[in-house]
Amino acid sequence: MDSVSYQCFPRIKISEVKPDFMKFELRDTDFSIANTLRRKMIIEVPTIAVDLVEIKVNSSVLNDEFISYRLGLITLTSDHAMSMRFSRDCGTCDGDGQYEYCSVEFYLSV
């Protein structure tokens, strides 16, 4: 009886490399390997997330909770993300997130 090999040998062709950017082509592999690489690359990028939203005036048809939820889906990259602390672990601000090492403030006027 012939044995069937499900082992695949992916090929990667790197076309461009910069300090913060790489362009490559992944071939001869299945979607699970490609998705694993994609997820790992996303995880390794330091990001900050929108956690607390205060809406002063909302004249749109969208309710405040929906807008807050959608803002929370946006991932923000920052050079300072690795030096920041979780607000729950910050002893200086007592968890309210009002300190430079555990919070960032953005103002949006539309």
Side-chain angles (χ1 to χ4, degrees):
M1 183 155 108
D2 293 330
S3 65
V4 177
S5 174
Y6 292 102
Q7 185 177 13
C8 63
F9 298 98
R11 293 183 305 156
I12 298 177
K13 177 184 172 187
I14 299 173
S15 57
E16 187 178 352
V17 177
K18 294 181 181 177
D20 61 347
F21 176 81
M22 177 190 275
K23 186 175 184 179
F24 65 92
E25 186 176 313
L26 180 65
R27 291 181 171 248
D28 299 332
T29 189
D30 55 37
F31 290 118
S32 64
I33 300 297
N35 192 40
T36 301
L37 282 173
R38 180 189 65 82
R39 293 182 72 181
K40 183 63 177 169
M41 288 184 279
I42 290 171
I43 289 172
E44 291 298 319
V45 174
T47 59
I48 51 179
V50 176
D51 185 34
L52 177 65
V53 177
E54 180 180 328
I55 298 175
K56 301 224 184 224
V57 176
N58 180 7
S59 60
S60 72
V61 296
L62 304 173
N63 61 22
D64 294 352
E65 293 80 13
F66 180 76
I67 295 170
S68 299
Y69 170 74
R70 295 302 297 249
L71 288 172
L73 295 175
I74 300 170
T75 54
L76 306 167
T77 59
S78 171
D79 294 335
H80 304 289
M82 292 302 290
S83 64
M84 294 183 74
R85 304 178 210 152
F86 288 106
S87 59
R88 66 176 178 265
D89 299 333
C90 185
T92 308
C93 71
D94 298 325
D96 63 355
Q98 299 297 316
Y99 189 61
E100 64 180 303
Y101 295 112
C102 65
S103 67
V104 178
E105 285 189 27
F106 292 101
Y107 294 95
L108 179 63
S109 178
V110 291

